[in-house]
Amino acid sequence: MTDLGRALAALYARVPLGMRLGLTGMEEACARAGHPERSFPAVHVAGTNGKGSTSAMIESIARASGLRTGLYTSPHLVRFAERIRIDGEPIEDPLLGELLGEALVTGHDLSFFETATLAAFLAFARAKVDLAVVEVGIGGRLDATNVIPPPRCAAITRIAFDHQDRLGDTLEEIAREKAGIAKPGVPIVLGSLAGSVRTAASDVIQRAGGAIVEAAPAEVLPPAIGLAGPHQVDNARIAWAVADVLRLPTEARVRGLATARWPGRLERIDTASGPWLLDGAHNPDGVAALVRALGAGADHPAALVYGALGDKPWRAMLDALAAVPAPRFYAAPEGRAPAPPEDLAAHLPGAVCASLELALAAARQAAGPRGLVVVCGSLYLVGAARAFLLDLPRDPAVAL
């Protein structure tokens, strides 16, 4: 087994610790590691949906500006290394194994996500990045990433229902948790928040001494955005405003938005068997965005593969997907306990498949060689489908 293999095995052994919220363990581990989180300027991005896409756009703009960049996101689709990127590329295996090993020893009492976060900080410190874009894992206030010092800018994307058991049962409560990344004097760009949700977030930001910045008007955006879907306009507006705070050149913003990539989010893949569209729409708000994007596109789906985790509101997601007139094929994702495909089919008729591979094959047969097959729902289902379709080596999925 390689050093990376051993490190990943030890890291995955920490999965049972779950989604641990709180900063004390991370703060202590960072202190033992010599405070790598203090060694780089950062942009901190929170939100329910869109935070990964927005982070990718900001990183792409910064890289187009000539900056050496770091990008930390979660979860991974195919390989763990996707979570930690330097200059747009996943960290190389030998270095990842070394840094994970250091994080595992230094953060001996950390959870899976906390250990991964510490490894990212060590990677950015080692690479001497000019700017690190750090995506929040869950919430914001008590997320492991919130140990970073005041960043150069922060952002909050869309607020929707997700992780209510940790963040609260109302959108206002969720907004307050996500606004907990606000720090004194730090500009924080707000996305499409309205009414009482915006008020809740604004109250937290103002009490923390943060400076609210509006997302850029859509009119200033260039016509070419590398990420597909009407909803990406809102994410691009946030990225543009962050770039404005950072004083990055307009030319770099245009080029960065045009070349931004974020796999598994309305990602089209053309294979010898036919075209596929992958989208990790894992909550009702995300599924609604997918349905709008499908309605706005010229290529309508001929079949749909769907799977969800059991603790997600899959009934509401299926209700939204009912508007897509295509045969459905259900499969169980990995990561956590799935919603049984039989239960999905009982709620919205579709074919129950014993595995994702069988669901993909059945959907392709139904769609034919030219029909578009949409694979959506859990990010872990989408990641597994991407690895299968592109014949990629794959690390185990983990919903953290």
Side-chain angles (χ1 to χ4, degrees):
M1 184 181 290
T2 65
D3 288 345
L4 177 58
R6 284 190 290 271
L8 286 175
L11 178 64
Y12 275 78
R14 299 186 177 188
V15 168
L17 292 174
M19 303 178 200
R20 191 166 68 182
L21 296 180
L23 304 183
T24 302
M26 272 298 293
E27 290 169 342
E28 293 174 349
C30 285
R32 292 193 295 269
H35 287 295
E37 81 285 5
R38 298 178 182 176
S39 65
F40 49 85
V43 172
H44 204 190
V45 183
T48 305
N49 290 330
K51 65 182 187 289
S53 298
T54 301
S55 296
M57 291 180 186
I58 296 168
E59 186 277 334
S60 184
I61 292 171
R63 188 158 29 91
S65 302
L67 300 180
R68 183 163 174 76
T69 61
L71 176 63
Y72 178 56
T73 60
S74 60
H76 61 271
L77 282 179
V78 178
R79 297 201 62 220
F80 179 87
E82 298 166 16
R83 296 176 181 237
I84 306 172
R85 295 175 182 258
I86 304 294
D87 286 336
E89 296 297 327
I91 190 169
E92 295 183 354
D93 286 359
L95 180 58
L96 177 58
E98 179 184 340
L99 294 177
L100 276 177
E102 183 178 343
L104 286 159
V105 172
T106 306
H108 55 84
D109 56 348
L110 297 182
S111 67
F112 177 99
F113 182 75
E114 291 168 327
T115 307
T117 303
L118 179 57
F121 294 164
L122 292 167
F124 299 155
R126 176 83 64 93
K128 295 182 171 59
V129 300
D130 298 314
L131 184 73
V133 182
V134 179
E135 180 197 14
V136 168
I138 296 176
R141 180 175 65 94
L142 298 176
D143 185 75
T145 64
N146 205 28
V147 299
I148 62 173
R152 291 185 61 187
C153 189
I156 300 175
T157 63
R158 291 182 61 80
I159 302 294
F161 286 112
D162 208 3
H163 300 295
Q164 289 99 305
D165 59 326
R166 301 301 184 95
L167 305 181
D169 293 324
T170 69
L171 292 178
E172 291 78 11
E173 289 175 312
I174 295 171
R176 292 186 190 99
E177 286 296 317
K178 295 185 184 294
I181 65 170
K183 293 181 172 65
V186 175
I188 182 164
V189 180
L190 294 185
S192 298
L193 311 184
S196 59
V197 175
R198 183 183 179 88
T199 298
S202 298
D203 286 347
V204 173
I205 293 167
Q206 289 165 355
R207 285 199 302 272
I212 295 174
V213 176
E214 299 299 330
E219 292 75 19
V220 308
L221 298 179
I225 297 175
L227 304 187
H231 58 286
Q232 294 294 359
V233 171
D234 284 340
N235 297 329
R237 292 174 58 218
I238 297 170
W240 189 278
V242 170
D244 196 41
V245 170
L246 301 178
R247 299 186 178 181
L248 300 180
T250 299
E251 180 186 44
R253 300 181 207 181
V254 172
R255 188 165 68 253
L257 287 180
T259 57
R261 299 291 180 267
W262 196 229
R265 283 75 172 182
L266 281 178
E267 179 188 20
R268 182 173 174 125
I269 296 176
D270 291 298
T271 70
S273 67
W276 307 81
L277 187 72
L278 310 183
D279 192 61
H282 61 284
N283 55 39
D285 185 69
V287 171
L290 168 62
V291 172
R292 287 194 299 271
L294 292 175
D299 198 359
H300 300 291
L304 189 146
V305 176
Y306 177 83
L309 298 179
D311 58 0
K312 296 291 184 179
W314 52 265
R315 292 176 181 83
M317 288 189 269
L318 287 179
D319 290 343
L321 284 174
V324 179
R328 289 167 288 272
F329 299 85
Y330 297 124
E334 302 172 4
R336 284 199 301 273
E342 296 80 4
D343 291 354
L344 303 181
H347 187 80
L348 183 66
V352 173
C353 301
S355 69
L356 173 60
E357 290 79 5
L358 290 174
L360 294 173
R364 174 51 61 201
Q365 184 176 15
R370 296 185 180 180
L372 181 68
V373 176
V374 175
V375 183
C376 63
S378 168
L379 278 168
Y380 314 107
L381 184 89
V382 166
R386 192 173 195 272
F388 179 79
L389 294 171
L390 298 177
D391 193 24
L392 301 174
R394 181 170 171 251
D395 293 327
V398 57
L400 296 169

